[in-house]
Amino acid sequence: MKGASLSPGDYVYFKSRVPLHKISVGAKQWRYYDFGPKDVPPLICIPGIAGTADVFYKQIMFLSMKGYRVISIDIPCIWNHHEWIHAFEKFLDAINVHHVHLYGTSLGGFLSQLFAQHRPRRVKSLVLSNTFLDTHKFSAAMPWSSVVSWSPSFLLKRYILSGIHDGPHEPFIADSVDFVVGQVEALSRDDLASRLTLNANAVAVGALFLSDSFITIMDTNDYCAIPQQLKDQVSERYPGARRAILKTGGDFPFLSRPDEVNLHLQLHLRRVGVEAKLDLVQSTSKDGTAGSSSGDEKKGDKHFDNQPDNNGNTGHDGTSHQPDESSGSGSSAFDEHLLSNAKLHAFVALHTILILMQASSSIMPFIQQNCIAINAQ
């Protein structure tokens, strides 16, 4: 575990494209990313103790380009589970989101289940990754939980980071650990203390009104901070849930195995009936506003919705970059030009091979004679 390192290039690109929103709802300060077509029911990503809204940047980039809306949140300073349910509901009201699909990892998965239990009409589906049903095991392992709010920041960080597997990692898993360590270093003492308190308060998830068919369980099969026994309890609670097992990925598969995680998330959204608005990504709407993140229309932020085309133009002019029928003749001529070039290159390559074969046939006798002379000496 090397600690904070230089930010990955794709993360730098993400930060330059996707704005970080901050909103105060009551006494809570929420930090979140909201990107993708606004009229698509959002997938809300909730991190674990060591995570922030930034850890899901790979999912935001991929799914928004596929026509889905993704919201990634920081867990604010919340000290008990009832407070979490009320605060999260008020947050959804504040950003004008009524029905949600939740993707939670570790503590985030536990909080997602609690919200689905107490606000069943708002939660349409769940994706649970490396999570658990109750916190009694963590409460027993943390006898000093009553004084966690008084503990210094360095001690809380050390305790959290000690739960991350520290050993030889393959490169992608090592990079994911380094990224998360950097995020933990940026968290305040209150953020750390409140999350540890949520994780240690002895509470269990009750029965959900949500059908198992609307739940996907996505776990990693290698090392993980969540004991296998607790992950097995989740699978036993939801026997009809779709299983998405990753052979490797560690504690943070959304960073170390983004292609697999993104594919499973996309399949889950399709299965539960979320229709992507790919047309809002490829082109702008008729009134000239792009289908993008909340508040972006007012701020004029850059979007993935307005990606450059092959000529370096973006979609800000309100026109689609998809080829129309009038460009068919030009496209055909271009294809014929490429075909003729390919034939020319193939002819040149064949001619070069023939020349080399002729040269080698003329040189071989000379090489053989020299070899015989050397052996004779």
Side-chain angles (χ1 to χ4, degrees), residues 367-377:
I367 295 176
Q368 291 175 353
Q369 289 177 2
N370 280 280
C371 289
I372 292 173
I374 292 171
N375 290 331
Q377 293 175 1

Side-chain angles (χ1 to χ4, degrees), residues 48 70 73 85-86 94 119 135 150 175 218 279 293 297 363:
V70 184
I73 68 169
I85 295 167
H86 292 292
R119 298 295 185 270
T135 58
W150 300 95
D175 289 343
M218 180 165 43
D279 55 322
S293 61
E297 295 85 349
I363 292 173

Side-chain angles (χ1 to χ4, degrees), residues 64-79:
S64 64
M65 287 300 296
K66 296 295 183 180
Y68 295 100
R69 181 184 180 186
V70 184
I71 299 175
S72 177
I73 68 169
D74 269 6
I75 301 174
C77 290
I78 293 175
W79 299 91

Side-chain angles (χ1 to χ4, degrees), residues 16 60 98 111 138 145 155 162 170-171 196 204 256 279 288 304 322:
S16 70
I60 297 174
H98 303 288
L111 296 177
F138 302 112
S145 60
L155 180 62
S162 66
E170 53 113 312
L196 285 172
S256 61
D279 55 322
F304 290 131
Q322 298 302 310

Side-chain angles (χ1 to χ4, degrees), residues 336-353:
E336 291 177 0
H337 177 66
L338 290 178
L339 181 59
S340 62
N341 281 344
K343 290 180 178 178
L344 177 61
H345 286 302
F347 174 77
V348 172
L350 180 59
H351 184 65
T352 302
I353 292 173

Side-chain angles (χ1 to χ4, degrees), residues 170-190:
E170 53 113 312
F172 291 113
I173 295 180
D175 289 343
S176 71
V177 171
D178 289 340
F179 185 88
V180 171
V181 170
Q183 297 297 305
V184 171
E185 293 295 338
L187 292 173
S188 68
R189 187 184 68 84
D190 288 342

Side-chain angles (χ1 to χ4, degrees), residues 218-277:
M218 180 165 43
D219 290 339
T220 54
N221 259 354
D222 56 356
Y223 43 81
C224 175
I226 306 301
Q228 186 62 45
Q229 178 186 2
L230 298 186
K231 295 196 292 184
D232 290 341
Q233 290 175 0
V234 176
S235 299
E236 293 169 2
R237 171 69 67 88
Y238 312 116
R242 180 69 57 91
R243 300 297 303 277
I245 302 302
L246 309 180
K247 292 183 178 179
T248 59
D251 287 295
F252 317 112
F254 41 86
L255 288 168
S256 61
R257 297 290 183 270
D259 292 341
E260 294 181 63
V261 171
N262 292 341
L263 176 61
H264 288 307
L265 290 176
Q266 188 176 9
L267 291 175
H268 171 85
L269 292 173
R270 288 179 179 176
R271 184 166 58 84
V272 299
V274 179
E275 295 185 6
K277 301 292 185 179

